[in-house]
Amino acid sequence: MSKNRNRNRPADTLSPATSVRTAATVLESFQGPIPPPAVLEGYKAIDPALPLKLMELAINEQEHRHHLEKRKVDVVEQKFANQATGQRDDFRFGTRGQWLAFVLAIIFLGVIVFLGWRGMETAICAGLGAGGFVAVFTFLAPRLFGKFLKDKKDS
């Protein structure tokens, strides 16, 4: 019963043996490319050049995003301009090679099936080996030679 009486009494009238604990939680956050000035001061205490580097990174990121947005707008404008003049999109020309490769692969498989039907197992093995080599080379060539060509282009 004494517990209930203490609950209703103000904190200043409680006995000295009774303690009151108060807890506070503070949540701070920021949104944007750079932290607020107080946080930048903390970074400056760690390294005096760090706030300048962070500002540089934010500026570079903004320039990069603007460049990408401009490229997107240019592509859309070009597409609308091509539609208005009746020209074909450049994007459709990129699929021509894929269709040609698909047709050649079907022809190649047809020849292998024909050779198997005629009983030429050695020719089938040679054809599948050559096809496998071409497939592996097709996937590896851009990775192997792409860096070489890029480095040569940059020079």
Side-chain angles (χ1 to χ4, degrees), residues 65-115:
R65 286 179 184 267
H66 287 185
H67 174 72
L68 290 178
E69 289 295 323
K70 185 178 181 324
R71 284 181 59 191
K72 286 180 188 177
V73 169
D74 290 345
V75 166
V76 171
E77 285 177 351
Q78 181 65 39
K79 186 170 184 171
F80 283 128
N82 287 346
Q83 286 177 350
T85 59
Q87 295 177 359
R88 292 180 65 180
D89 290 334
D90 292 336
F91 306 114
R92 293 188 66 197
F93 290 122
T95 61
R96 184 180 296 162
Q98 292 174 346
W99 280 107
L100 180 61
F102 176 73
V103 169
L104 288 175
I106 295 298
I107 291 171
F108 185 75
L109 288 174
V111 169
I112 289 177
V113 168
F114 176 75
L115 291 175

Side-chain angles (χ1 to χ4, degrees), residues 48-69:
L50 198 53
L52 293 175
K53 289 179 184 177
L54 289 173
M55 294 294 287
E56 228 175 86
L57 287 173
I59 290 169
N60 289 342
E61 177 67 21
Q62 182 181 18
E63 288 174 356
H64 174 68
R65 286 179 184 267
H66 287 185
H67 174 72
L68 290 178
E69 289 295 323

Side-chain angles (χ1 to χ4, degrees), residues 1-11 13-14 18 20:
M1 184 151 217
S2 65
K3 290 181 184 177
N4 289 338
R5 273 190 257 157
N6 285 342
R7 276 192 205 158
N8 297 331
R9 292 172 51 189
T13 62
L14 293 176
T18 307
V20 177

Side-chain angles (χ1 to χ4, degrees), residues 22-28:
T22 305
T25 303
V26 178
L27 174 65
E28 290 184 19

